Amino acid sequence: MTMKNTYLLMLLLLVMVACGQDEWPSGAQSEYSTEVITFSSPYEAGTRAAALRDGSFQMGDKVGVLGYCAARNGNVDISDEPWNTKRPFSYPDIFYNQELTYDGTGSWTYNWTGDGSIGGLHPWLANEDYTYSFFAYYPYASGAPDKAGERDIVINGVNMGTVKLSGENDRSDPTITYTMPHSNGEDLDSGHDWWAVPDLMLAYTIDHRKSDGSVRLDFRHMFCAFQFRVNNYNLYDVTVSDLYLSGGTTSNPRQGFYKSLSVTGQESGYSVGDDVYIGRFKLLGGRTTKGFTCPAATINADDQLVPSSFDIVSKETGHEGEMIVLLFIPNADGKLTSDGNKSLRLELQAQSEEGGDIDADVSMLLEDASFKPGMRSVFNINIVGNDFIIQVESEDAWEDGGDSDIVFE
């Protein structure tokens, strides 16, 4: 070891001794501590989760964690066995719905108040051969559960659904259930707020030992996303004043969008609940605000028509200028509604001084389309004369092998 490295090591030890058990240097949880449990996630600023709504985790984002270690089979301590062996005998003895807060640089901080806390952090247990398993969800649901065991997710004062966790003393794989905040709706005109659904993500790490260091949480998306763009192919301005997406039927039995999902343990997929909601999402409701004007197309130097385009952003109070992204739960077959996407409809109203009006309420014809968790689909609304064509682009291929062109006239 060089003199320089020896000096740095001695300096680090002095800092840790000076801090004692009550405080750690800022940002030192994952770098310096070997006696406490710490967490990290891949740090890719501006790109993480970019397929859906929110981009990378932001400083202050919160997740919830359940942590397991101790297990006994009769009188035999099997805490050092793999998770798949000991899980029938394990309960969340390390953490139960522990809140973690993202620090903006790839690490998660927390405050644990149990016996033996080291500056608010949970120490590793004495036996270094013990294995630990952690199951995490985003966003965090705080507070005590109601009678049904559900905890509200509240972000910036907005109720964003509920999370239900398996019990604090339940053994084996935990189950995490999320339910959307949308009311069931009385008819297809029932409105739902697109921004009230979070980018639900889950992560797990099993068979982690103290010697493995910081616990890495790799989150995966549970919803698919819809984004909308208008392209004007006319040589005159077109104003889009109203745009709605709706789904569901009021028939008996009622059919609609899937409202809840449940994941157990290391399950790669999920099960959708029997509950559904009907109604519509307002992308633009602009008769009173004059909507958005898409400028006329142009002709380039090669005498080719170049359409003008704009992504549809919100005009809603508190969400002005935000990209409108709808999040849905696809079932195992990639369908968003219990009638296999048949009831998905798009309502559009547009006006122009030269081309007249478009006023349409039509099926989206997505019965053969399949959507996947973590997949973002961009719906290009191409206005040509008094007709519009929907072209769907996706980061993943459709099951039928290509993009879909849907023509409304």
Side-chain angles (χ1 to χ4, degrees):
M1 179 180 293
T2 66
M3 289 294 294
K4 181 179 179 181
N5 288 339
T6 301
Y7 173 77
L8 290 174
L9 178 59
M10 292 176 63
L11 180 61
L12 175 59
L13 291 173
L14 287 173
V15 170
M16 293 175 67
V17 170
C19 291
Q21 293 187 343
D22 294 327
E23 58 182 317
W24 293 88
S26 176
Q29 288 192 4
S30 61
E31 292 185 49
Y32 305 131
S33 66
T34 58
E35 300 305 316
V36 295
I37 299 172
T38 63
F39 297 91
S40 62
S41 289
Y43 178 57
E44 299 172 342
T47 61
R48 202 191 176 295
L52 295 189
R53 178 185 295 161
D54 297 322
S56 60
F57 278 121
Q58 301 297 310
M59 181 180 295
D61 281 346
K62 300 179 184 299
V63 303
V65 172
L66 289 80
Y68 299 72
C69 182
R72 300 190 70 86
N73 185 358
N75 294 323
V76 180
D77 184 357
I78 58 171
S79 302
D80 58 350
E81 293 289 335
W83 173 249
N84 288 335
T85 298
K86 72 177 187 179
R87 63 184 177 180
F89 309 96
S90 296
Y91 67 95
D93 60 313
I94 301 298
F95 296 123
Y96 184 74
N97 201 35
Q98 174 65 52
E99 176 184 306
L100 307 184
T101 302
Y102 191 63
D103 72 353
T105 62
S107 297
W108 299 90
T109 62
Y110 65 94
N111 182 36
W112 184 70
T113 58
D115 292 340
S117 168
I118 301 178
L121 304 179
H122 196 305
W124 297 105
L125 301 184
N127 190 328
E128 297 196 3
D129 290 330
Y130 280 175
T131 58
Y132 300 76
S133 295
F134 302 93
F135 301 85
Y137 70 92
Y138 168 85
Y140 179 65
S142 61
D146 61 15
K147 292 181 179 180
E150 296 179 335
R151 304 167 189 263
D152 290 332
I153 298 173
V154 180
I155 301 177
N156 296 326
V158 177
N159 187 315
M160 306 190 78
T162 63
V163 164
K164 182 178 181 179
L165 306 173
S166 49
E168 194 167 359
N169 297 311
D170 289 353
R171 299 180 186 272
S172 196
D173 285 314
T175 295
I176 300 173
T177 300
Y178 170 81
T179 301
M180 289 189 170
H182 304 313
S183 62
N184 292 338
E186 297 180 359
D187 54 53
L188 296 181
D189 289 330
S190 300
H192 302 299
D193 295 331
W194 60 267
W195 60 82
V197 177
D199 184 2
L200 180 69
M201 291 186 277
L202 299 180
Y204 69 85
T205 296
I206 64 169
D207 300 336
H208 189 96
R209 287 187 167 87
K210 173 183 176 181
S211 59
D212 295 326
S214 185
V215 180
R216 178 176 168 129
L217 296 175
D218 293 315
F219 284 87
R220 73 185 191 275
H221 300 285
M222 308 308 296
F223 299 151
C224 68
F226 282 12
Q227 181 183 331
F228 297 84
R229 180 178 299 132
V230 173
N231 306 299
N232 183 14
Y233 282 81
N234 297 304
L235 293 174
Y236 48 80
D237 295 351
V238 174
T239 298
V240 180
S241 62
D242 293 87
L243 185 61
Y244 294 85
L245 184 147
S246 61
T249 66
T250 55
S251 60
N252 190 16
R254 198 180 67 168
Q255 297 172 319
F257 294 104
Y258 295 112
K259 188 174 181 178
S260 66
L261 63 82
S262 296
V263 177
T264 299
Q266 306 161 64
E267 186 178 8
S268 59
Y270 52 75
S271 57
V272 297
D274 295 329
D275 47 342
V276 299
Y277 66 95
I278 65 173
R280 64 180 185 171
F281 296 90
K282 181 174 70 173
L283 309 180
L284 294 176
R287 285 287 185 180
T288 57
T289 57
K290 298 184 179 179
F292 286 91
T293 297
C294 196
T298 58
I299 304 295
N300 65 16
D302 296 323
D303 202 32
Q304 295 174 327
L305 183 72
V306 180
S308 65
S309 301
F310 69 85
D311 292 320
I312 296 179
V313 297
S314 177
K315 284 195 167 188
E316 297 295 324
T317 302
H319 300 277
E320 296 92 338
E322 292 182 16
M323 184 74 68
I324 295 178
V325 179
L326 304 182
L327 298 178
F328 298 107
I329 299 173
N331 69 6
D333 297 321
K335 309 304 180 186
L336 310 184
T337 62
S338 53
D339 62 358
N341 294 343
K342 292 179 181 179
S343 60
L344 291 177
R345 302 185 68 82
L346 196 69
E347 302 168 53
L348 182 142
Q349 291 182 348
Q351 304 83 36
S352 65
E353 292 185 3
E354 298 184 41
D357 296 343
I358 300 174
D359 190 348
D361 179 357
V362 293
S363 170
M364 295 186 73
L365 304 177
L366 294 176
E367 293 93 326
D368 295 328
S370 179
F371 303 96
K372 301 175 184 177
M375 182 180 77
R376 179 175 59 91
S377 298
V378 179
F379 289 78
N380 282 277
I381 300 172
N382 302 320
I383 299 180
V384 183
N386 287 342
D387 299 329
F388 66 97
I389 301 170
I390 294 185
Q391 184 181 39
V392 186
E393 300 174 359
S394 174
E395 293 192 348
D396 292 324
W398 298 95
E399 287 190 346
D400 64 9
D403 291 342
S404 298
D405 288 344
I406 308 168
V407 180
F408 300 142
E409 298 183 353

